[in-house]
Amino acid sequence: MRYSAGNVWRRGLALLVVLLSSCSGLYEDQIGKFDWRQQYVGKIVDGAFDTSSVDRIIVATESNVLAAISAKTGDILWRQVLENGPRGTIKLLHVTSPSATGARLNRGSTGYDVITVTGSNPALVRGWNSNLGTLEWEWSLLPSVAEESALAAVWFEHDGLLYHVVPVWGSHLEVTPYQAVSGQQARTTTSRIAAGWIAKDRCTLAGTFFACGIKEQMLALDLAADASSTVVSKPLGAEAIGRPRAVRGEPAVIQNGRYYSLRSDQKLTFGSSDAALVDRMVQEGEPILLQGMIDRATNKLTVNAHRLRDFVRFEPIEFSTEFSETLGDPELVAIRCKQSSGGGSSRVATGLACRVLLSTEDGAIVLVQQGKIKWVREEALAEVETADFLDLTLSDAEGAIEEELNNKNAEENGLEWDVFGAFQRRITAQLSHVKNLILHVLGVGPAPSKAQRAGLVRDDFGLHKMLIVVTSSGKIFGIDNVSGKHHWVRYLPTFTGFGNEQPMKLLVQRTSRFYPLPAQCVILGREKSDTKKALLYVFNPITGQPVAGGGLIELPYRVQQVALLHQTGADFLKGILLLDYDNKAHVVPESLAVHAHNFYLFTTYQRMAQMRGFLVQYRAGKLETLPTWQIDLSGASKSQQIIACEGKSPIEHVHSQGRVMADRSVLYKYINPNLVAVATNGPDNIHKYILNVHLVDVVSGSIVFSMSHKRIRPPLHMVHSENWLVYSYYNDKARRTEITSIELYEGKTQTNSTVWSSLDAPPLPMVERQSYILPMAVAALKETITEKGITSKHILIGLTTGAVAEMSWALLDPRRPVTSPEKAREEGIVPYMPELPLPHEILINYNQTVAHIRDIHTAPSGLESTCLVLVHGLDLFVTRVSPSKTFDLLKEDFDYFLITVVLVVLTTTSFVVKQLASKKLIKQAWK
């Protein structure tokens, strides 16, 4: 058969089109179907309205973000996420204005709209395009001063020059001006201004003045003036309390509740939480002072305005508006006004239309337009500390069934139950359901419950849950894990974390499974005041409402350890066991103290690298704490410090206790529920840094296994589950990120198949270990978890690039053979390769990157195959993963019509064949 060249070309083109159309890396119809992402910028450090646009606000935040926000909707127009840590800390944000000299001189191909200064050693000066958010130019400065002085350095802009100010506490100030675009010094030498009165944590930069509250006076220097400028002194009348607050837009400070101008003799009285802002563009260069006051009794925000020249009230921009109790004390950031004109062709000016940008203590960004709140951005979610997924309540119909079953059980226990009574109640309940259905169809039925109306009811597969999120500012959110909607918000202004990177704790005392009892959670934190005493906030996680009495419990002691009791009381409530710094145990509520008998606790001391174990006993109505063991992990040089401590999840289930080998024998897992992984790191004279990993039984205090890594530095991330441990670290010698996996086995025989006891001196385990190379740096590690533990375990790896990879345990298996892989193939083990692949197919957030990933939280769903995942950092990303595929769920493209037709045909055929067979038998019988 012959083919012409044209036919071959057309056939090849058609085949190519078919192949291209079938090569799709992502199902577009599933984007956002089972996941969602919310982006944030963080708490504002500085901000300004962009005068080149009516709909743009430029902000710099504590999360090292430079962003443009729409003034109309509050959406992010563009966002630049800068370096993480101190290197990306924004020390200066300068937005040019049309009247600014620097803007007129520098705009153009080599100009700028926005200037930022980040970091200290080196400091990076950048110019940005405010329209697109693109980087126009950049230069760096490496100061030749001590590290402490470099960190305390501040910057300000004046007349087109950038001034770098380095304070040497108790001695002098070093001031150097630079050309903004080129980075050249405007002066040949650095000015050294003698200022022996400057002190750490007592000074601030207010405009061009460096001001300090020293004893009973305010001392300040104008750094933009001549080097021999005199010191400005303002008497305070009392001892200066804390650091003075700089007033935006004017060289002035607020100290001890008073406003002090550094250019004039003006002195005004302010409240302790009042905000101040000076703006010169409201009325043709006339400085206007705005004073913001919040009244918590009525939750109202009042903003007053005065002309700064004579302090006459400026009524066009004064207003009072409702301010939610879920928002912290506000700070005035920026204001922009324009003349509002009346109708008709005359366009006569009738007043000012103003927008005021606020930043609250909890991190929220608020825009007030014409005296009313236009939008609020909950930027507290950029600093999430802990989170958890909780089951929703039952629907009204399911609740009625549960209530009926509860009544039935109560009657059975009371020996008043009989068959006819149960049958009567069952018929009555069914008739009631039919009645409610008919009334609902007619539109006159009983009103559904509040949870039913809000859609907060449990689904069939347990995929719909309430996501409880606790932030570092003390704000709590109840978020729908399916839609991302914020159902409720609570603000705890007195709460904070425990320090030493120990956040507030979220404890679940009772879930929603015990109908009709509501779910109950507890937030454990400490006071922000100097007392640092423990605080408890008890609330319903579904509605966000506190329990009776306000939900706030103040404890008269400081807490060093907390744990949930295993047993519950009569109302299915778990008690909270607290250990104070006097090593005394307490239980909240006290009625559940009896369940703390023979409870084991342990504490860790990070700097000393010590661990201590305690036994809690309940005797004669009181709790006693007995020290049981103590371990010192600081090493011979006493230089090691604990950098990580990871236990097993309390809700984890182990489905299989063994592993089948190639010869059909069983290798039993070493499943010790009391095992905790502890990592220590410290300097070494020979190997620079040493990382030690210890597996400690926290009941007996015995060290089960230890391993050392040389020339290893943090960050360290650990995952501890079942009989294995996985941790990642940075290899300073090879200059790469590595990940090590450890598996523990008892051997071919099991010590005790029913009960595990750490006090019976179990045998030391067999240890399998292996290390691998990761091509990218790790930001977080977490394992998947399911309801019964049947599904395979996968490791979720949060990368510094913002991606989250789902790594199969088969690739991290420490039993991957280096040589002789024949037997391993029979077990299905992959041969060893040092490099771990990271293909794009294993990224669960595809192109929905999460900036500055901090942690990953996982929770089981009602489906054994599915695990719920929360990734948080600067953004929030929620999704679901199925490590073993959805083996317990039909696929989306399942053909229900075809299977229905097949079943109907088979059923009809069976009846027809049955009739034909019976007729045949009758005919054969008559022959």
Side-chain angles (χ1 to χ4, degrees):
M1 183 178 293
R2 292 184 177 181
Y3 292 95
S4 64
N7 289 336
V8 173
W9 184 83
R10 283 192 294 271
R11 290 175 182 270
L13 181 61
L15 179 61
L16 180 62
V17 171
V18 171
L19 291 176
L20 289 177
S21 63
S22 62
C23 295
S24 176
L26 181 68
Y27 294 103
E28 294 185 10
D29 60 334
Q30 292 192 355
I31 294 178
K33 188 172 184 179
F34 302 115
D35 57 72
W36 51 264
R37 181 184 64 166
Q38 295 176 357
Q39 291 185 309
Y40 300 96
V41 297
K43 185 178 181 181
I44 289 182
V45 173
D46 200 359
F49 286 91
D50 186 6
T51 55
S52 63
S53 171
V54 297
D55 185 35
R56 192 158 50 229
I57 304 172
I58 309 298
V59 296
T61 69
E62 293 181 357
S63 301
N64 302 353
V65 173
L66 175 68
I69 299 176
S70 171
K72 294 181 181 179
T73 62
D75 297 332
I76 299 175
L77 301 177
W78 55 260
R79 184 181 70 169
Q80 292 289 349
V81 182
L82 307 180
E83 294 83 359
N84 204 356
R87 290 186 59 195
T89 301
I90 300 177
K91 295 199 169 185
L92 172 68
L93 171 67
H94 175 66
V95 181
T96 62
S97 60
S99 61
T101 304
R104 290 198 304 268
L105 295 177
N106 295 297
R107 278 185 184 272
S109 59
T110 61
Y112 55 87
D113 298 320
V114 179
I115 295 178
T116 60
V117 180
T118 58
S120 56
N121 196 9
L124 297 176
V125 184
R126 296 179 172 114
W128 306 87
N129 185 307
S130 63
N131 185 30
L132 302 175
T134 55
L135 180 65
E136 300 287 345
W137 48 263
E138 178 186 46
W139 56 271
S140 62
L141 174 66
L142 188 64
S144 57
V145 294
E147 182 70 20
E148 183 181 358
S149 299
L151 290 173
V154 292
W155 294 73
F156 67 91
E157 189 274 343
H158 181 69
D159 289 340
L161 297 178
L162 292 179
Y163 286 79
H164 181 224
V165 183
V166 179
V168 180
W169 304 119
S171 177
H172 62 276
L173 294 168
E174 298 181 3
V175 182
T176 309
Y178 294 92
Q179 298 290 341
V181 178
S182 63
Q184 293 181 340
Q185 287 193 25
R187 298 173 189 168
T188 56
T189 59
T190 298
S191 301
R192 289 176 175 264
I193 305 176
W197 39 267
I198 61 175
K200 191 176 181 180
D201 297 329
R202 291 287 181 177
C203 302
T204 190
L205 184 68
T208 62
F209 283 79
F210 196 82
C212 301
I214 305 298
K215 295 184 179 179
E216 296 184 358
Q217 58 182 343
M218 176 66 60
L219 302 177
L221 275 171
D222 189 354
L223 303 180
D226 190 4
S228 60
S229 60
T230 59
V231 178
V232 178
S233 178
K234 303 281 185 180
L236 300 178
E239 184 77 19
I241 302 174
R243 175 182 296 178
R245 286 189 294 149
V247 177
R248 299 177 190 269
E250 185 72 10
V253 295
I254 298 177
Q255 180 74 60
N256 293 5
R258 285 182 178 270
Y259 171 96
Y260 293 92
S261 175
L262 302 177
R263 290 192 186 274
S264 63
D265 295 331
Q266 286 180 329
K267 182 173 65 174
L268 310 172
T269 302
F270 268 62
S272 59
S273 60
D274 289 357
L277 171 67
V278 176
D279 189 86
R280 296 177 179 271
M281 299 183 64
V282 174
Q283 194 180 22
E284 299 178 356
E286 177 76 21
I288 303 297
L289 172 65
L290 279 76
Q291 181 181 1
M293 297 165 287
I294 184 72
D295 184 2
R296 285 301 177 188
T298 58
N299 286 324
K300 278 197 173 184
L301 171 67
T302 302
V303 174
N304 297 324
H306 299 82
R307 289 192 310 189
L308 197 57
R309 173 169 46 87
D310 50 11
F311 208 67
V312 176
R313 293 189 62 179
F314 190 75
E315 297 183 357
I317 57 175
E318 292 185 350
F319 62 86
S320 179
T321 183
E322 298 290 336
F323 206 72
S324 175
E325 61 180 4
T326 62
L327 297 174
D329 293 340
E331 178 185 0
L332 298 173
V333 178
I335 183 173
R336 186 178 183 184
C337 300
K338 65 177 182 179
Q339 291 289 339
S340 60
S341 56
S345 58
S346 61
R347 309 294 293 175
V348 178
T350 60
L352 288 176
C354 295
R355 289 173 173 173
V356 181
L357 181 65
L358 305 176
S359 175
T360 63
E361 188 180 10
D362 60 284
I365 303 176
V366 183
L367 184 77
V368 179
Q369 181 171 318
Q370 294 181 320
K372 295 182 180 180
I373 293 180
K374 186 174 179 62
W375 49 258
V376 177
R377 288 188 58 88
E378 294 289 359
E379 295 299 333
L381 289 169
E383 298 287 341
V384 174
E385 286 198 344
T386 184
D388 202 355
F389 292 88
L390 274 84
D391 290 326
L392 295 173
T393 57
L394 298 175
S395 63
D396 295 344
E398 293 173 337
I401 296 175
E402 288 291 332
E403 190 172 353
E404 179 185 350
L405 294 176
N406 290 338
N407 294 335
K408 175 183 174 181
N409 294 333
E411 292 178 1
E412 286 178 346
N413 295 332
L415 300 178
E416 298 177 357
W417 179 82
D418 62 282
V419 175
F420 296 103
F423 178 74
Q424 180 183 0
R425 286 187 295 272
R426 179 73 270 175
I427 294 298
T428 304
Q430 294 292 346
L431 292 176
S432 177
H433 292 165
V434 173
K435 174 185 175 183
N436 292 336
L437 177 62
I438 295 174
L439 293 177
H440 178 71
V441 172
L442 297 177
V444 294
S449 63
K450 185 177 180 180
Q452 187 86 25
R453 292 195 303 270
L456 297 178
V457 292
R458 197 179 308 170
D459 61 330
D460 295 333
F461 297 134
L463 297 172
H464 191 192
K465 292 180 181 287
M466 179 67 78
L467 176 58
I468 309 300
V469 173
V470 182
T471 66
S472 59
S473 63
K475 213 162 188 180
I476 314 170
F477 294 84
I479 305 176
D480 195 314
N481 78 311
V482 174
S483 63
K485 179 182 177 182
H486 298 180
H487 287 287
W488 54 264
V489 181
R490 291 291 179 271
Y491 179 45
L492 308 175
T494 59
F495 274 63
T496 187
F498 294 92
N500 295 327
E501 298 182 358
Q502 292 296 318
M504 289 179 282
K505 305 298 181 183
L506 173 62
L507 306 170
V508 182
Q509 285 190 287
R510 182 173 57 213
T511 65
S512 300
R513 298 183 178 182
F514 305 102
Y515 187 88
L517 297 174
Q520 183 169 313
C521 289
V522 172
I523 302 292
L524 173 64
R526 72 175 185 183
E527 287 184 334
K528 290 183 179 179
S529 61
D530 297 333
T531 61
K532 297 181 180 180
K533 292 183 179 179
L535 295 174
L536 291 176
Y537 179 70
V538 189
F539 65 101
N540 184 333
I542 307 303
T543 62
Q545 297 297 325
V547 298
L552 185 63
I553 302 176
E554 298 181 1
L555 303 178
Y557 46 83
R558 296 173 59 192
V559 173
Q560 65 169 328
Q561 187 60 284
V562 60
L564 274 176
L565 299 179
H566 302 305
Q567 299 179 357
T568 62
D571 54 356
F572 303 101
L573 196 69
K574 289 185 178 180
I576 301 175
L577 178 62
L578 303 170
L579 185 70
D580 62 19
Y581 276 85
D582 294 328
N583 295 331
K584 295 182 179 179
H586 311 268
V587 174
V588 179
E590 296 182 359
S591 59
L592 300 178
V594 64
H595 299 304
H597 185 61
N598 286 340
F599 195 96
Y600 287 89
L601 278 176
F602 77 98
T603 59
T604 59
Y605 300 89
Q606 180 180 2
R607 294 184 179 179
M608 296 183 293
Q610 292 182 354
M611 300 181 66
R612 296 178 182 177
F614 301 91
L615 172 62
V616 180
Q617 293 185 334
Y618 185 78
R619 294 177 179 175
K622 294 182 179 181
L623 290 174
E624 297 180 359
T625 307
L626 304 177
T628 55
W629 55 267
Q630 181 174 343
I631 299 176
D632 188 352
L633 303 176
S634 60
S637 61
K638 302 296 181 181
S639 60
Q640 294 279 314
Q641 293 186 0
I642 295 177
I643 60 173
C645 182
E646 193 71 27
K648 299 180 181 180
S649 175
I651 61 173
E652 180 183 61
H653 290 82
V654 181
H655 176 68
S656 176
Q657 294 186 348
R659 181 169 184 171
V660 180
M661 308 295 289
D663 57 359
R664 298 300 181 265
S665 62
V666 177
L667 188 62
Y668 289 98
K669 300 177 182 178
Y670 182 85
I671 303 175
N672 184 351
N674 306 317
L675 206 62
V676 172
V678 181
T680 62
N681 183 257
D684 184 76
N685 296 330
I686 300 176
H687 304 291
K688 292 186 179 181
Y689 308 97
I690 288 184
L691 172 69
N692 296 319
V693 178
H694 309 276
L695 295 178
V696 182
D697 190 313
V698 294
V699 170
S700 63
S702 60
I703 299 179
V704 176
F705 175 73
S706 294
M707 187 166 62
S708 295
H709 302 270
K710 300 170 184 176
R711 296 193 66 175
I712 298 300
R713 291 190 303 174
L716 178 78
H717 304 281
M718 305 179 72
V719 169
H720 192 193
S721 177
E722 292 192 4
N723 68 318
W724 50 264
L725 173 70
V726 172
Y727 54 95
S728 66
Y729 49 84
Y730 180 76
N731 190 325
D732 193 47
K733 181 179 181 180
R735 297 183 180 180
R736 65 192 182 195
T737 299
E738 296 180 357
I739 188 167
T740 296
S741 59
I742 299 174
E743 266 191 322
L744 307 178
Y745 293 97
E746 288 191 49
K748 296 297 182 69
T749 58
Q750 199 170 14
T751 304
N752 193 327
S753 60
T754 57
V755 178
W756 175 272
S757 176
S758 296
L759 302 177
D760 290 342
L764 293 178
M766 300 167 48
V767 180
E768 300 282 351
R769 48 187 169 176
Q770 194 62 268
S771 294
Y772 301 92
I773 302 171
L774 277 175
M776 296 182 184
V778 176
L781 281 181
K782 195 67 175 180
E783 83 280 12
T784 59
I785 186 170
T786 54
E787 190 76 24
K788 301 297 181 182
I790 301 173
T791 306
S792 301
K793 290 276 188 179
H794 280 193
I795 306 298
L796 301 178
I797 307 175
L799 306 174
T800 53
T801 59
V804 181
E806 184 183 1
M807 184 73 68
S808 173
W809 174 251
L811 297 177
L812 294 169
D813 194 340
R815 298 187 69 250
R816 290 178 62 179
V818 180
T819 59
S820 303
E822 291 78 14
K823 292 184 178 180
R825 288 197 184 98
E826 297 182 19
E827 298 180 40
I829 302 178
V830 183
Y832 177 76
M833 288 289 290
E835 295 85 6
L836 289 174
L838 286 178
H840 294 289
E841 293 79 10
I842 68 172
L843 302 182
I844 64 174
N845 59 337
Y846 43 102
N847 66 341
Q848 305 292 321
T849 58
V850 180
H852 293 172
I853 294 177
R854 293 188 186 88
D855 205 356
I856 302 173
H857 294 272
T858 57
S861 67
L863 289 174
E864 171 56 31
S865 63
T866 306
C867 172
L868 304 178
V869 179
L870 164 67
V871 184
H872 67 83
L874 184 60
D875 308 324
L876 295 183
F877 178 76
V878 174
T879 186
R880 59 182 74 163
V881 295
S882 301
S884 300
K885 308 299 181 183
T886 52
F887 58 85
D888 52 357
L889 192 67
L890 294 176
K891 295 183 178 180
E892 293 183 1
D893 56 352
F894 184 79
D895 198 337
Y896 293 94
F897 177 76
L898 177 61
I899 195 66
T900 303
V901 171
V902 171
L903 289 175
V904 171
V905 170
L906 289 176
T907 304
T908 305
T909 303
S910 63
F911 277 104
V912 172
V913 171
K914 181 179 180 180
Q915 294 295 328
L916 294 176
S918 62
K919 290 182 179 179
K920 182 179 180 180
L921 290 175
I922 293 176
K923 290 181 179 180
Q924 289 179 350
W926 280 100
K927 287 182 179 180

